């Protein structure tokens, strides 16, 4: 028995040493490669497998801290099953975390989707960028914590839930809005907002029910000096029947039932929402559902943009693209632009950008005349949880297209101008240019060139886009990409210029 016991201990010891050797010589280098490739989800999964073999290894702990952070999840109500998965990975599996509240979890850094489900609550999806105040792990200064309160995931019960709509809890803190000149609203009551843009099939019910002839859906909309019947009579399809601009005979084209309805004016969008017992969202409602309240420091917009329909190929069925917003809504970026309730002078807000626009329009304010029925103009609806109309402070008009008249600005004096001018001065010298690579694009040849730089011994890389149909000498034009170029992780390597080809 003693001999067998010693043999067993020896065998276990040898196996343990073998496991440790494999872990250090094979597994750790593989994890380092995953970390280098920014595959944080796979890296964390491998690290957690190794922790039993190398529980206090300094390199393993360093790698774990590089790809994950301790997180806490509180829900209201509690006792909810919480799962997470990688954002942006097709058909990624949901990884169960346990029942809320959950303390001191190790979650991957970066964008991830959360799912909340359980008896008595509506299954809810959310998207966050970890770390964030919602996970109680964002190291904010004491002063900024007033603006970034640590949060609780508040969920709708099945009694409260509304089919096809996401619940957004009441909010009195700051909302991420696309323009700093908008005053923060005092209070946004709890509301529900459509997960998908309104589809052709859904809008067909409004047309078939005679919605274009029902005054209760139109009467108090601001048509200016014209009575509503005269204006609404102009909202006709291609065969002069009531309906969106692209329809025929009062119907959408066969096969288009799940495409977002487009070719509708702001008035038609508002009337449909009333028909459905809802309202058009204000920009407070829309951007609250789209973006993290900590968007400036924990942005979800890059993930939304990257996975939304900005492909330039046309409308897609609602929900086909994988992007979800902060509150789990689909197609808030790209696909169809979405009418909002607020006015700006004689125009109306329209948000999110469309399939044929550059991706940064997801974050930019845009305005259209309310009667415009463009082929990318769509919408979604919202409803306040208490059943009341949206309070007036949220429906206020903005004045963002005004601004100062540049003709009235006084020019600086010569001395000040000389200071500005000298900032752009440079020494003319031999750049010692070297061609690094060439790639043929759709309309131009892309050349990567290295030139000498006084700022760095390694020089500077420049991308030259040389048009196919031009002859030398050519005038230089400096291309400034959209604001997404400043997002974390943006590099010139692999930059998708095809997104900008229509505008270029």
């Amino acid at each position: 028995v003693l001999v067998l016991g010693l043999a067993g201990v020896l065998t276990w010891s040898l196996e343990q040493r073998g496991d440790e050797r494999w872990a250090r010589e094979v597994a750790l280098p593989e994890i380092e490669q995953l970390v280098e490739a920014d595959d944080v989800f796979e890296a964390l999964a491998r690290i957690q497998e190794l922790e039993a073999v190398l529980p206090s290894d300094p390199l393993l702990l360093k790698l774990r801290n590089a790809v994950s952070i301790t997180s806490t999840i509180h829900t209201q109500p509690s006792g909810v099953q919480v799962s997470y998965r990688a954002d942006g990975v097709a058909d990624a599996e949901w990884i169960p975390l346990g029942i809320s509240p959950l303390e001191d979890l190790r979650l991957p850094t970066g964008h991830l989707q959360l799912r909340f489900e359980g008896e008595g609550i509506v299954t809810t999806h959310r998207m966050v960028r970890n770390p964030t105040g919602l996970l109680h792990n964002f190291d904010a200064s004491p002063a900024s914590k007033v603006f970034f309160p640590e949060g609780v995931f508040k969920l709708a019960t099945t009694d409260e839930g509304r089919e096809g709509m996401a619940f957004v809890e009441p909010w009195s803190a700051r909302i991420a809005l696309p323009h700093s000149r908008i005053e923060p609203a005092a209070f946004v009551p709890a509301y529900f907002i459509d997960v998908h843009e309104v589809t052709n099939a859904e809008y067909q019910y409004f047309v078939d029910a005679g919605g274009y002839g029902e005054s209760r859906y139109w009467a108090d909309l601001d048509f200016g000096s014209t009575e509503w019947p005269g204006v609404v009579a102009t909202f006709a399809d291609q065969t002069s029947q009531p309906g969106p601009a692209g329809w025929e005979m009062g119907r959408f084209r066969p096969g288009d039932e799940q495409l977002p309805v487009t070719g509708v004016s702001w008035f038609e969008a508002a009337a449909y929402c009333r028909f459905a017992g809802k309202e058009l969202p204000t920009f407070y409602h829309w951007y609250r559902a789209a973006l993290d309240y900590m968007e400036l420091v924990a942005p979800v917009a890059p993930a939304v943009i990257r996975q939304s329909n900005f492909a330039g190929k046309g409308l897609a069925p609602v929900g086909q693209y994988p992007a979800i917003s902060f509150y789990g809504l689909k197609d808030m970026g790209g696909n169809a632009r979405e009418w909002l309730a607020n006015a700006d002078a004689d125009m109306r807000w329209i948000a999110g950008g469309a399939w044929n626009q550059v991706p940064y329009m997801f974050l930019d304010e845009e305005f259209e005349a309310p009667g415009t029925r463009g082929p990318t103009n769509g919408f979604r609806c919202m409803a306040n949880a208490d059943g009341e109309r949206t309070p007036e402070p949220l429906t206020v008009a903005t004045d963002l297209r005004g601004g100062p008249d540049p003709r009235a600005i006084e020019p600086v004096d010569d001395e000040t101008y000389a200071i500005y001018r000298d900032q752009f001065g440079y020494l003319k010298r031999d750049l010692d240019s070297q061609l690094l690579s060439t790639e043929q694009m759709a309309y131009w040849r892309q050349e990567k060139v290295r030139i000498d730089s006084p700022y760095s011994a390694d020089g500077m890389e420049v991308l030259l886009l040389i048009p196919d149909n031009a002859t030398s000498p050519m005038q230089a034009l400096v291309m400034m990409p959209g604001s997404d170029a400043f997002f974390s992780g943006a590099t010139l390597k692999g930059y998708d210029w095809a997104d900008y080809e229509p505008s270029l």
Side-chain angles (χ1 to χ4, degrees):
V1 171
L2 179 61
V3 170
L4 289 174
L6 291 174
V9 170
L10 179 60
T11 301
W12 176 84
S13 178
L14 290 172
E15 288 177 351
Q16 183 74 5
R17 290 180 183 178
D19 287 346
E20 290 184 6
R21 182 176 179 181
W22 168 83
R24 296 185 195 282
E25 296 182 2
V26 178
L28 277 177
E30 290 176 350
I31 292 172
E32 286 184 289
Q33 292 177 1
L34 291 171
V35 174
E36 183 68 23
D38 205 29
D39 189 350
V40 297
F41 285 84
E42 182 62 24
L44 181 59
R46 296 288 302 277
I47 288 166
Q48 290 172 334
E49 290 174 358
L50 277 193
E51 284 179 330
V53 181
L54 303 174
S56 57
D57 183 83
L59 178 57
L60 188 67
L61 294 176
K62 179 181 178 181
L63 293 172
R64 186 192 67 177
N65 292 336
V67 299
S68 67
I69 188 169
T70 303
S71 310
T72 293
I73 296 178
H74 292 165
T75 64
Q76 184 181 337
S78 58
V80 173
Q81 174 66 50
V82 185
S83 307
Y84 84 97
R85 71 177 181 182
D87 182 72
V89 178
D91 301 321
E93 292 186 5
W94 288 100
I95 301 170
L97 293 171
I99 304 297
S100 65
L102 296 165
E103 308 283 344
D104 299 329
L105 298 165
R106 272 280 166 184
L107 288 179
T109 54
H111 294 105
L112 54 107
Q113 295 183 18
L114 298 171
R115 182 177 68 186
F116 305 89
E117 54 190 344
E119 186 177 350
I121 65 132
V122 176
T123 298
T124 301
H125 294 86
R126 296 286 294 272
M127 203 263 283
V128 296
R129 186 185 186 280
N130 196 20
T132 176
L134 268 174
L135 299 178
H136 298 256
N137 57 12
F138 189 84
D139 188 17
S141 66
S144 65
K145 284 186 177 179
V146 195
F147 306 117
F148 302 145
E150 291 184 336
V152 176
F153 292 93
K154 296 183 180 179
L155 311 171
T157 65
T158 49
D159 294 337
E160 301 168 324
R162 302 197 183 191
E163 184 69 26
M165 303 186 83
F167 173 72
V168 182
E169 69 268 26
W171 192 251
S172 57
R174 287 177 178 262
I175 291 173
L177 292 170
H179 205 293
S180 60
R181 287 166 55 197
I182 299 174
E183 290 295 324
F187 178 68
V188 180
Y191 64 97
F192 292 86
I193 184 166
D194 290 344
V195 172
H196 299 293
E197 296 163 329
V198 173
T199 65
N200 282 316
E202 291 168 330
Y203 198 83
Q204 187 74 63
Y205 288 112
F206 175 64
V207 175
D208 293 346
Y212 280 80
E214 286 279 354
S215 62
R216 55 187 166 143
Y217 304 135
W218 310 85
D220 61 344
L221 299 178
D222 184 8
F223 292 103
S225 58
T226 309
E227 293 293 326
W228 77 268
V231 178
V232 174
T234 67
F235 298 150
D237 66 17
Q238 296 184 49
T239 56
S240 301
Q241 299 298 310
W247 287 19
E248 294 181 357
M249 300 300 295
R251 301 201 64 79
F252 55 84
R253 291 180 299 178
D256 287 356
E257 54 272 355
Q258 288 306 306
L259 293 183
V261 65
T262 55
V264 292
S265 65
W266 177 89
F267 300 107
E268 289 164 282
Y272 172 87
C273 289
R274 291 179 174 184
F275 165 78
K278 306 175 185 178
E279 301 177 56
L280 273 181
T282 70
F283 53 71
Y284 291 109
H285 295 112
W286 198 91
Y287 286 102
R288 170 73 176 132
L291 303 173
D292 193 336
Y293 62 93
M294 297 181 64
E295 189 69 21
L296 286 176
V297 290
V300 300
V304 175
I305 288 173
R306 188 169 57 248
Q307 303 170 76
S308 294
N309 182 14
F310 287 105
K313 297 178 181 178
L315 290 170
V318 296
Q320 176 175 296
Y321 279 73
I324 66 170
S325 75
F326 184 52
Y327 272 89
L329 276 58
K330 305 286 284 187
D331 297 311
M332 295 199 85
N335 221 22
R337 300 187 299 172
E338 300 181 22
W339 287 111
L340 303 183
N342 305 79
D344 192 279
D346 57 347
M347 310 283 268
R348 292 283 172 170
W349 280 67
I350 192 164
W355 62 267
N356 60 351
Q357 291 183 292
V358 289
Y360 63 75
M361 290 309 299
F362 172 58
L363 291 173
D364 212 348
E365 70 267 10
E366 193 172 6
F367 311 97
E368 283 274 14
T372 303
R373 310 177 79 219
T376 62
N377 295 358
F379 64 100
R380 74 181 72 217
C381 305
M382 56 79 57
N384 288 300
D386 60 9
E388 299 294 326
R389 294 293 300 272
T390 296
E392 188 173 329
L394 305 181
T395 61
V396 65
T398 57
D399 183 21
L400 300 180
R401 294 177 303 113
D405 183 350
R407 294 169 298 184
I409 298 174
E410 287 291 327
V412 298
D413 57 34
D414 290 344
E415 183 179 358
T416 306
Y417 178 76
I419 295 172
Y420 289 149
R421 181 197 60 208
D422 289 347
Q423 293 182 55
F424 298 93
Y426 65 96
L427 295 174
K428 294 186 178 181
R429 52 186 289 183
D430 182 5
L431 298 177
D432 189 25
S433 62
Q434 302 172 33
L435 179 62
L436 302 179
S437 65
T438 300
E439 182 180 357
Q440 184 62 43
M441 310 295 281
Y443 305 113
W444 56 70
R445 183 176 74 258
Q446 176 179 292
E447 293 186 354
K448 182 182 288 186
V449 178
R450 180 199 170 279
I451 61 174
D452 281 348
S453 166
Y455 313 114
S456 169
D458 296 329
M460 174 181 176
E461 289 186 3
V462 180
L463 284 184
L464 300 178
L465 309 181
I466 303 173
D468 291 339
N469 59 353
T471 55
S472 296
M474 288 176 280
Q475 183 178 357
L477 178 69
V478 178
M479 167 64 182
M480 180 63 208
S483 55
D484 54 334
F486 295 102
F487 293 153
S488 174
T491 64
L492 284 177
K493 181 180 180 181
Y495 199 84
D496 191 1
W497 290 108
D499 286 342
Y500 295 91
E501 282 180 356
S503 55
L504 283 174

CSV table of all heavy atoms in Angstrom, one decimal, residues 395-416:
chain,number,residue,atom,x,y,z
A,395,THR,N,-39.9,68.2,-26.0
A,395,THR,CA,-40.3,68.4,-27.3
A,395,THR,C,-39.8,69.8,-27.9
A,395,THR,O,-40.2,70.2,-29.0
A,395,THR,CB,-41.8,68.3,-27.5
A,395,THR,OG1,-42.4,69.3,-26.7
A,395,THR,CG2,-42.3,66.9,-27.1
A,396,VAL,N,-39.0,70.5,-27.1
A,396,VAL,CA,-38.6,71.8,-27.4
A,396,VAL,C,-37.9,71.9,-28.7
A,396,VAL,O,-37.2,70.9,-29.1
A,396,VAL,CB,-37.8,72.4,-26.3
A,396,VAL,CG1,-36.4,71.7,-26.2
A,396,VAL,CG2,-37.5,73.9,-26.5
A,397,ALA,N,-38.1,73.0,-29.5
A,397,ALA,CA,-37.4,73.1,-30.8
A,397,ALA,C,-35.9,73.6,-30.5
A,397,ALA,O,-35.6,74.2,-29.4
A,397,ALA,CB,-38.1,74.2,-31.6
A,398,THR,N,-35.0,73.3,-31.4
A,398,THR,CA,-33.6,73.7,-31.3
A,398,THR,C,-33.3,74.8,-32.3
A,398,THR,O,-34.1,75.0,-33.2
A,398,THR,CB,-32.7,72.5,-31.4
A,398,THR,OG1,-32.9,71.9,-32.7
A,398,THR,CG2,-32.8,71.5,-30.4
A,399,ASP,N,-32.2,75.4,-32.2
A,399,ASP,CA,-31.7,76.4,-33.2
A,399,ASP,C,-30.2,76.1,-33.4
A,399,ASP,O,-29.4,76.9,-33.1
A,399,ASP,CB,-32.0,77.8,-32.6
A,399,ASP,CG,-31.6,78.9,-33.7
A,399,ASP,OD1,-31.6,78.5,-34.9
A,399,ASP,OD2,-31.3,80.0,-33.3
A,400,LEU,N,-30.0,75.0,-34.1
A,400,LEU,CA,-28.6,74.6,-34.3
A,400,LEU,C,-28.0,75.0,-35.7
A,400,LEU,O,-26.8,75.0,-35.9
A,400,LEU,CB,-28.4,73.1,-34.1
A,400,LEU,CG,-28.8,72.5,-32.7
A,400,LEU,CD1,-28.6,71.0,-32.7
A,400,LEU,CD2,-28.0,73.2,-31.6
A,401,ARG,N,-29.0,75.3,-36.6
A,401,ARG,CA,-28.5,75.6,-37.9
A,401,ARG,C,-28.3,77.1,-38.1
A,401,ARG,O,-27.8,77.6,-39.2
A,401,ARG,CB,-29.5,75.2,-39.0
A,401,ARG,CG,-29.6,73.6,-39.0
A,401,ARG,CD,-30.7,73.2,-40.0
A,401,ARG,NE,-32.0,73.8,-39.7
A,401,ARG,CZ,-32.6,74.7,-40.4
A,401,ARG,NH1,-32.1,75.1,-41.6
A,401,ARG,NH2,-33.8,75.1,-40.1
A,402,GLY,N,-28.5,77.9,-37.0
A,402,GLY,CA,-28.3,79.3,-37.1
A,402,GLY,C,-26.8,79.7,-37.0
A,402,GLY,O,-26.1,79.6,-37.9
A,403,GLY,N,-26.4,80.0,-35.7
A,403,GLY,CA,-25.0,80.3,-35.5
A,403,GLY,C,-24.7,81.7,-36.0
A,403,GLY,O,-25.4,82.4,-36.7
A,404,PRO,N,-23.4,82.1,-35.7
A,404,PRO,CA,-23.0,83.4,-36.1
A,404,PRO,C,-22.8,83.6,-37.6
A,404,PRO,O,-22.5,82.6,-38.3
A,404,PRO,CB,-21.7,83.6,-35.4
A,404,PRO,CG,-21.2,82.2,-35.2
A,404,PRO,CD,-22.4,81.4,-35.0
A,405,ASP,N,-23.0,84.8,-38.1
A,405,ASP,CA,-22.8,85.0,-39.6
A,405,ASP,C,-21.3,85.3,-39.8
A,405,ASP,O,-20.8,86.2,-39.2
A,405,ASP,CB,-23.6,86.3,-39.9
A,405,ASP,CG,-23.5,86.6,-41.4
A,405,ASP,OD1,-22.6,86.0,-42.1
A,405,ASP,OD2,-24.2,87.5,-41.9
A,406,PRO,N,-20.6,84.5,-40.5
A,406,PRO,CA,-19.2,84.6,-40.7
A,406,PRO,C,-18.8,86.0,-41.3
A,406,PRO,O,-17.7,86.5,-41.1
A,406,PRO,CB,-18.8,83.5,-41.6
A,406,PRO,CG,-20.0,83.0,-42.3
A,406,PRO,CD,-21.1,83.3,-41.3
A,407,ARG,N,-19.7,86.6,-42.0
A,407,ARG,CA,-19.4,87.9,-42.6
A,407,ARG,C,-19.3,89.0,-41.6
A,407,ARG,O,-18.8,90.1,-41.8
A,407,ARG,CB,-20.5,88.3,-43.6
A,407,ARG,CG,-20.5,87.3,-44.9
A,407,ARG,CD,-21.8,87.5,-45.7
A,407,ARG,NE,-23.0,87.2,-45.0
A,407,ARG,CZ,-24.2,87.3,-45.5
A,407,ARG,NH1,-24.4,87.6,-46.8
A,407,ARG,NH2,-25.3,87.0,-44.8
A,408,ALA,N,-19.9,88.7,-40.4
A,408,ALA,CA,-19.9,89.7,-39.3
A,408,ALA,C,-18.7,89.6,-38.4
A,408,ALA,O,-18.5,90.4,-37.5
A,408,ALA,CB,-21.2,89.7,-38.5
A,409,ILE,N,-17.9,88.6,-38.6
A,409,ILE,CA,-16.7,88.3,-37.7
A,409,ILE,C,-15.6,89.3,-38.1
A,409,ILE,O,-15.2,89.4,-39.3
A,409,ILE,CB,-16.3,86.9,-37.8
A,409,ILE,CG1,-17.4,85.9,-37.3
A,409,ILE,CG2,-15.0,86.7,-37.0
A,409,ILE,CD1,-17.1,84.5,-37.5
A,410,GLU,N,-15.0,90.0,-37.1
A,410,GLU,CA,-13.9,90.9,-37.3
A,410,GLU,C,-12.6,90.1,-37.6
A,410,GLU,O,-12.3,89.3,-36.8
A,410,GLU,CB,-13.7,91.8,-36.1
A,410,GLU,CG,-14.8,92.9,-35.9
A,410,GLU,CD,-14.7,93.9,-37.0
A,410,GLU,OE1,-13.6,94.2,-37.5
A,410,GLU,OE2,-15.8,94.4,-37.4
A,411,PRO,N,-11.9,90.4,-38.7
A,411,PRO,CA,-10.6,89.8,-38.9
A,411,PRO,C,-9.6,90.2,-37.9
A,411,PRO,O,-9.7,91.2,-37.3
A,411,PRO,CB,-10.2,90.4,-40.3
A,411,PRO,CG,-11.5,90.9,-40.9
A,411,PRO,CD,-12.3,91.4,-39.8
A,412,VAL,N,-8.7,89.2,-37.6
A,412,VAL,CA,-7.6,89.5,-36.6
A,412,VAL,C,-6.6,90.5,-37.3
A,412,VAL,O,-6.6,90.7,-38.5
A,412,VAL,CB,-6.8,88.3,-36.3
A,412,VAL,CG1,-7.8,87.3,-35.6
A,412,VAL,CG2,-6.2,87.6,-37.5
A,413,ASP,N,-5.8,91.2,-36.4
A,413,ASP,CA,-4.8,92.1,-36.9
A,413,ASP,C,-3.6,91.4,-37.5
A,413,ASP,O,-3.5,90.2,-37.4
A,413,ASP,CB,-4.4,93.1,-35.8
A,413,ASP,CG,-3.8,92.4,-34.6
A,413,ASP,OD1,-3.2,91.3,-34.8
A,413,ASP,OD2,-4.0,92.9,-33.5
A,414,ASP,N,-2.8,92.1,-38.2
A,414,ASP,CA,-1.6,91.5,-38.9
A,414,ASP,C,-0.7,90.7,-38.0
A,414,ASP,O,-0.2,89.7,-38.3
A,414,ASP,CB,-0.8,92.6,-39.6
A,414,ASP,CG,-1.6,93.1,-40.8
A,414,ASP,OD1,-2.6,92.5,-41.2
A,414,ASP,OD2,-1.3,94.2,-41.3
A,415,GLU,N,-0.5,91.3,-36.7
A,415,GLU,CA,0.4,90.6,-35.8
A,415,GLU,C,-0.2,89.2,-35.4
A,415,GLU,O,0.6,88.2,-35.3
A,415,GLU,CB,0.6,91.5,-34.6
A,415,GLU,CG,1.5,90.9,-33.5
A,415,GLU,CD,1.7,91.8,-32.3
A,415,GLU,OE1,1.1,92.9,-32.3
A,415,GLU,OE2,2.5,91.5,-31.4
A,416,THR,N,-1.5,89.2,-35.1
A,416,THR,CA,-2.1,87.9,-34.7
A,416,THR,C,-2.1,86.9,-35.9
A,416,THR,O,-1.8,85.7,-35.8
A,416,THR,CB,-3.5,88.1,-34.3
A,416,THR,OG1,-3.5,89.1,-33.2
A,416,THR,CG2,-4.2,86.8,-33.8
